[in-house]
Amino acid sequence: MEDDKAAIVFVHGLFSSSETWRDLNAQLSGMPEIARGFDLLLFDYATPRASFNPLRKIPTLDTVAESLRSYLDSQPISHQRLVFVTHSQGGLVVQRYLSRMLAEGRGWELARIRRVVMFACPNNGSELLLLVRRSLRGGIVNIQERELRPLQASVQEAQRRVVTGIVHAQYVSSDRCPIPFMSYAGESDNVVSHSSAVSVFPEAAVLPGDHFSIIKPGLDGRLVRALRNDLDKALGEPFPEESVSGAPTHAQSGARGEEFLAEHQMFGPVVVRTGDSTTPFFIHGGPLERLSGIDIIVSSENIYLQMSQFFKASTSGSLRRAAAVKGDGGEILEDVAGDSLIAWLRAHARYGLPVLEGTVAPTPSGALRERRVQRIYHAAVVTPVDGTGDYTVNPRAITRATHNIFELARKERRDLKLPLSSICLPLLGSGRGDITLSRSFELVWGALMDELSDDGSWSIHFAARRSSSFDLIKKLLLAKKAENEAG
């Protein structure tokens, strides 16, 4: 085998193994042009239906993605070009691997990957697997199956990074690398719908077969012809060029070394004396969509009270997606938070014009109601800088917004008879604003102590989406507790 030979890396799906590729591999191996141009590599990973051995666990998709990285690094030949061919969950495994590589600033290492071919990948989840899960009894939980349910936050987070940093990338750098994707849906697939298989990927087609026979060569030869066409493109695909500028963008600077937490983490309670009572504080890390049982979640907005778009990875964009009512394919049927915020602006302000810094507007929680979230509060904190994509934050906007959050919560508790007792806040202004996370914490903490000294009926929850932010907030909170006890 020559050093410049390409390789096809086959990645199987849920409850399967590399044996699923036997028929396709046999046909490809018998084709001289394929045998000359490609080594056929089979990546296997553990995906049991259940694990009853206390010494063994079912690996998460993050763990499988790390295993895929080790598998590629350990190959005896460093292939010049790679093509991933995946079935079902295997497509999510490859997306998770690519997402993690970008998050770690290793985009340049992905340049040899010249195509990802996905067959029946549940990009928007699988409704049929929900029925399978509901039929199980005895508390059986499979952590891989859980990520195949519709609209899973960890899957969507990886997909957003892949779409932005790979599918639509124009050059290779630390946090991006152009790689063509091809999605195939099965015309008779009742496990993964056409809309879920295609999802947001621009290149797509339909092949004969159901969820499993789509990767079995048929007499009509359509599968092999389609895959050969993809392989020919991968061999002719030019390697991506580097950025003409070495200066990192705002997004690159923010993402470098800042891994999003894919799973929910919680720290607390940390009980702090506030006035004549005590208040429990919690820290939540990971996607906001995973929060549950918190009455009010606060979103930091600009002074026009315009939420981020659904595809944005910001707190505002995440909450907007989480509150929206969605169809089976993930399409937005009702933009609950966005539409309600516009209605509030029309009733209480002048839509399209800025509101006073620190203004707080309430909206229903929409689909988050299923997670026992009652309200979303939108705090106008950041001010856009004309002619740029930058924002500024007035420190008084943070303290004013914090006071207004409690004033509004007490009013809704009284007037609407809502049983509100818990509030979750991001560190206002520390995202796109020009205030550090530590400075925002100090401002929010001072305002919290003023409010809680007179009203100790609340539990307070801080939200952090990145691991470094989670760790820093924990450090700052414990320091405040020690300072409180010493004083």
Side-chain angles (χ1 to χ4, degrees), residues 329-348:
E331 69 275 16
I332 303 298
L333 301 180
E334 184 181 356
D335 181 12
V336 177
D339 290 345
S340 298
L341 188 54
I342 290 174
W344 185 94
L345 280 165
R346 294 193 186 280
H348 297 85

Side-chain angles (χ1 to χ4, degrees), residues 234-247:
L235 288 179
E237 182 74 29
F239 291 105
E241 298 180 355
E242 296 188 13
S243 169
V244 296
S245 171

Side-chain angles (χ1 to χ4, degrees), residues 296-373:
I296 301 166
I297 299 181
V298 178
S299 178
S300 179
E301 314 287 6
N302 57 52
I303 59 172
Y304 292 87
L305 284 178
Q306 297 293 304
M307 298 192 75
S308 294
Q309 292 299 316
F310 296 106
F311 56 83
K312 293 288 188 179
S314 62
T315 297
S316 178
S318 297
L319 279 175
R320 189 174 186 179
R321 283 192 306 276
V325 178
K326 308 171 189 72
D328 292 343
E331 69 275 16
I332 303 298
L333 301 180
E334 184 181 356
D335 181 12
V336 177
D339 290 345
S340 298
L341 188 54
I342 290 174
W344 185 94
L345 280 165
R346 294 193 186 280
H348 297 85
R350 292 177 296 172
Y351 180 56
L353 296 178
V355 299
L356 182 67
E357 290 176 332
T359 296
V360 178
T363 63
S365 58
L368 281 171
R369 188 81 182 183
E370 297 178 4
R371 302 187 69 85
R372 293 177 290 122
V373 175

Side-chain angles (χ1 to χ4, degrees), residues 3 22 76 81 84 87 108 121 147 181 204 235 283 316 328 366 384 406 421 431 435 447:
D3 288 350
R22 181 183 59 188
R81 292 172 182 264
F84 283 109
H87 177 238
W108 283 287
C121 179
E147 297 214 50
F181 269 67
L235 288 179
I283 306 171
S316 178
D328 292 343
F406 282 87
S421 62
I435 284 187

Side-chain angles (χ1 to χ4, degrees), residues 156-402:
Q156 290 184 314
E157 192 68 59
Q159 188 180 92
R160 281 194 295 274
R161 183 175 282 139
V162 166
V163 169
T164 302
I166 289 181
V167 176
H168 296 307
Q170 300 297 313
Y171 56 85
V172 64
S173 68
S174 62
D175 70 338
R176 63 195 62 204
C177 180
I179 301 172
F181 269 67
M182 183 66 194
S183 302
Y184 290 104
E187 65 181 15
S188 304
D189 193 343
N190 196 36
V191 176
V192 174
S193 67
H194 175 271
S195 61
S196 183
V198 174
S199 187
V200 296
F201 295 95
E203 289 190 73
V206 176
L207 289 175
D210 58 25
H211 188 67
F212 299 100
S213 62
I214 188 176
I215 58 170
K216 304 298 182 183
L219 295 177
D220 61 4
R222 285 180 59 184
L223 167 64
V224 174
R225 284 199 303 273
L227 185 54
R228 282 188 59 184
N229 182 54
D230 289 312
L231 297 176
D232 288 343
K233 289 180 179 179
L235 288 179
E237 182 74 29
F239 291 105
E241 298 180 355
E242 296 188 13
S243 169
V244 296
S245 171
T249 64
H250 176 90
Q252 291 171 323
S253 299
R256 185 170 295 159
E258 288 275 6
E259 178 63 63
F260 283 105
L261 292 167
E263 296 291 334
H264 176 257
Q265 297 184 23
M266 188 183 78
F267 177 75
V270 175
V271 179
V272 177
R273 177 161 296 281
T274 51
D276 296 329
S277 61
T278 58
T279 300
F281 289 83
F282 301 82
I283 306 171
H284 298 267
L288 291 170
E289 297 93 324
R290 297 288 177 88
L291 295 178
S292 62
I294 299 175
D295 300 322
I296 301 166
I297 299 181
V298 178
S299 178
S300 179
E301 314 287 6
N302 57 52
I303 59 172
Y304 292 87
L305 284 178
Q306 297 293 304
M307 298 192 75
S308 294
Q309 292 299 316
F310 296 106
F311 56 83
K312 293 288 188 179
S314 62
T315 297
S316 178
S318 297
L319 279 175
R320 189 174 186 179
R321 283 192 306 276
V325 178
K326 308 171 189 72
D328 292 343
E331 69 275 16
I332 303 298
L333 301 180
E334 184 181 356
D335 181 12
V336 177
D339 290 345
S340 298
L341 188 54
I342 290 174
W344 185 94
L345 280 165
R346 294 193 186 280
H348 297 85
R350 292 177 296 172
Y351 180 56
L353 296 178
V355 299
L356 182 67
E357 290 176 332
T359 296
V360 178
T363 63
S365 58
L368 281 171
R369 188 81 182 183
E370 297 178 4
R371 302 187 69 85
R372 293 177 290 122
V373 175
Q374 300 191 59
R375 305 291 277 171
I376 299 175
Y377 284 2
H378 305 265
V381 172
V382 300
T383 300
V385 178
D386 288 344
T388 74
D390 298 328
Y391 295 83
T392 61
V393 179
N394 185 339
R396 287 182 297 176
I398 294 177
T399 55
R400 187 182 296 126
T402 306

